[in-house]
């Protein structure tokens, strides 16, 4: 295409060549004057411009112009994840800190789980809460904003004060078992021991295994006496209570289902755990490119050849020169 920059030089050379030719002069009253008609001026001008059009078409044709489209197809093998969260009364323990401020366990969990959801892409996520019983807080969805809204609305004791770990896991399995997804995951978080419900945690784990569902279990809380808010005659005050957590059962659930058990004693550790799970259950994205282009140089080359033929014919017939 840079050859087009030589066109002005070609024009200068052509003008010099024409002006340097010898010419036959005759007066306007000469009989030869009538030979030139007004219509001849059009052919003369056309003949002068044809070389420029021909050169332009040849140069553009040599550049091999193409016209077409390029498409990209993205297919993702998403992961179906159900978050199972303990909202029992023990989640009111004040042994966690957030931004330097003492807060209860559920507050930290909601903060970290929100960050986990915001990092997801193409994974459907649902949420189940459990206390005395288990409830579906949000079905599997790709609308993470809606999921976070449901998360914001959970509170301590919303499903009762006891801890039905088995029921919570069993309900998660029910939501996942019939889905066609290649990877089905449950992330179960609790700070207590199964003391309610109708299904034992070990039984729920076996059911999860039979459907190819992997379970990551997370135990949270500090060991030893935990500051716990208690209402008294003079208002709410902190008392230290020993809160029991069944780590052995959580390990067995993870082991049976080929998952992994984690234990978090502070907010930063809990954040690291969810980040690790996100890496382990990363979505596989496949990208395919489709390209289709049509060659346009024939549409320029053939007109250029046609104009070249016309220029030769005009020069040899109608506009033949006497030199």
């Amino acid at each position: 295409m840079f050859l087009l920059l030589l066109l002005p030089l070609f024009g200068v050379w052509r003008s010099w060549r024409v002006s340097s030719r010898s010419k036959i002069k005759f007066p306007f009253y000469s009989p030869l004057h009538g030979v030139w008609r007004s219509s001849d001026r059009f052919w003369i001008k056309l003949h002068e411009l044809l070389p420029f059009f021909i050169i332009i078409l040849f140069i553009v044709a040599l550049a091999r112009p193409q016209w077409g489209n390029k498409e990209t197809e993205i297919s993702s093998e998403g992961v179906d994840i159900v978050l199972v969260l303990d909202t029992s009364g023990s989640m009111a323990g004040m042994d966690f800190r957030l931004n330097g401020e003492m807060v209860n366990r559920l507050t930290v969990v909601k903060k970290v789980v929100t960050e986990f959801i915001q990092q997801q892409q193409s994974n459907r996520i649902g949420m189940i809460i459990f206390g005395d019983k288990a409830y579906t807080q949000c079905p599997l969805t790709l609308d993470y904003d809606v999921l976070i809204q449901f998360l914001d609305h959970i509170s301590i004791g919303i499903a009762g004060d006891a801890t039905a770990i088995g029921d919570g896991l069993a309900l998660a399995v029910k939501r996942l078992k019939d889905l066609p997804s290649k990877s089905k995951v449950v992330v179960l978080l609790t700070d207590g021991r199964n003391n309610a419900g109708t299904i034992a945690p070990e039984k729920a784990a076996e059911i999860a295994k039979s459907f190819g569902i992997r379970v990551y279990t997370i135990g949270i809380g500090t060991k030893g006496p935990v500051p716990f808010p208690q209402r008294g005659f003079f208002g709410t005050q902190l008392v230290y209570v020993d809160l029991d957590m069944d780590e052995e059962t959580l390990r067995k659930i993870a082991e049976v289902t080929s998952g992994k058990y984690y234990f978090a004693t502070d907010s930063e550790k809990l954040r690291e755990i969810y980040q690790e799970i996100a890496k382990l259950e990363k979505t596989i994205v496949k990208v395919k490119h489709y390209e289709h282009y049509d060659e346009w140089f024939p549409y320029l080359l053939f007109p250029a050849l046609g104009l070249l033929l016309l220029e030769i014919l005009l020069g040899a017939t109608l506009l033949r020169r006497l030199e």
Side-chain angles (χ1 to χ4, degrees):
M1 296 299 288
F2 289 105
L3 294 175
L4 292 174
L5 300 176
L6 299 177
L7 279 177
L9 295 177
F10 173 75
V12 173
W13 174 82
R14 183 174 173 81
S15 298
W16 172 82
R17 185 170 179 272
V18 171
S19 62
S20 64
R21 286 199 187 103
S22 59
K23 302 179 179 63
I24 299 176
K25 298 182 179 180
F26 56 89
F28 72 91
Y29 52 83
S30 170
L32 292 175
H33 185 269
V35 174
W36 299 98
R37 297 164 295 181
S38 60
S39 60
D40 293 333
R41 294 180 179 177
F42 167 77
W43 295 108
I44 294 172
K45 291 295 183 183
L46 178 62
H47 191 254
E48 292 177 352
L49 294 175
L50 277 177
F52 292 95
F53 291 131
I54 293 169
I55 291 174
I56 290 173
L57 289 174
F58 271 123
I59 291 175
V60 177
L62 287 173
R64 197 181 172 188
Q66 296 175 326
W67 183 268
N69 53 51
K70 180 178 180 181
E71 296 180 3
T72 301
E73 179 183 310
I74 299 177
S75 59
S76 62
E77 297 181 6
V79 181
D80 285 338
I81 303 173
V82 174
L83 304 174
V84 182
L85 303 178
D86 186 348
T87 60
S88 63
S90 59
M91 292 293 286
M94 303 284 288
D95 53 345
F96 278 69
R97 289 185 176 273
L98 194 61
N99 299 324
E101 181 181 352
M102 183 182 291
V103 295
N104 63 51
R105 296 172 175 178
L106 185 60
T107 299
V108 172
V109 169
K110 290 168 67 173
K111 172 68 174 176
V112 173
V113 172
T114 296
E115 295 172 358
F116 172 78
I117 294 171
Q118 291 172 338
Q119 294 170 357
Q120 298 301 305
Q121 291 182 349
S122 304
N123 294 334
R124 293 195 304 172
I125 305 177
M127 183 167 53
I128 288 172
I129 60 173
F130 67 91
D132 296 338
K133 297 180 180 180
Y135 301 94
T136 300
Q137 181 72 358
C138 181
L140 286 161
T141 181
L142 286 169
D143 192 336
Y144 301 144
D145 291 335
V146 169
L147 181 62
I148 291 173
Q149 289 179 16
F150 277 109
L151 177 62
D152 288 339
H153 284 89
I154 67 173
S155 57
I156 296 171
I158 190 174
D161 288 330
T163 307
I165 297 174
D167 284 10
L169 178 55
L171 183 55
V173 172
K174 182 179 179 180
R175 293 287 175 260
L176 289 170
K177 66 183 182 68
D178 296 325
L179 298 178
S181 51
K182 292 185 178 180
S183 185
K184 306 171 187 179
V185 174
V186 173
V187 183
L188 187 151
L189 180 145
T190 183
D191 69 340
R193 178 182 295 272
N194 189 77
N195 55 20
T198 58
I199 301 177
E202 295 82 359
K203 179 63 176 178
E206 291 293 340
I207 298 172
K209 178 184 178 181
S210 66
F211 288 105
I213 299 172
R214 186 163 46 256
V215 183
Y216 296 99
T217 55
I218 304 174
I220 65 168
T222 56
K223 296 181 179 180
V226 176
F228 198 88
Q230 189 175 45
R231 292 183 180 180
F233 183 77
F234 297 102
T236 302
Q237 56 185 352
L238 293 179
V239 296
Y240 283 82
V241 179
D242 286 321
L243 298 178
D244 185 25
M245 183 174 66
D246 189 358
E247 288 190 81
E248 182 179 353
T249 296
L250 295 179
R251 284 195 182 93
K252 286 182 180 179
I253 293 173
E255 182 179 348
V256 167
T257 61
S258 301
K260 189 175 180 180
Y261 168 68
Y262 300 90
F263 182 65
T265 57
D266 56 57
S267 58
E268 188 56 38
K269 180 61 178 177
L270 184 62
R271 185 175 288 106
E272 291 175 3
I273 291 170
Y274 273 98
Q275 288 176 352
E276 180 177 336
I277 294 174
K279 292 178 181 178
L280 291 172
E281 299 299 337
K282 191 173 183 179
T283 300
I284 301 174
V285 178
K286 298 179 179 178
V287 180
K288 296 180 180 179
H289 295 286
Y290 300 93
E291 297 182 6
H292 175 74
Y293 292 99
D294 295 321
E295 298 286 352
W296 276 48
F297 76 90
Y299 301 104
L300 299 168
L301 182 60
F302 291 123
L305 293 174
L307 293 178
L308 178 60
L309 180 61
L310 177 62
E311 197 267 346
I312 294 172
L313 289 174
L314 287 175
T317 56
L318 185 62
L319 301 177
R320 185 175 183 181
R321 297 187 182 93
L322 297 175
E323 299 184 358

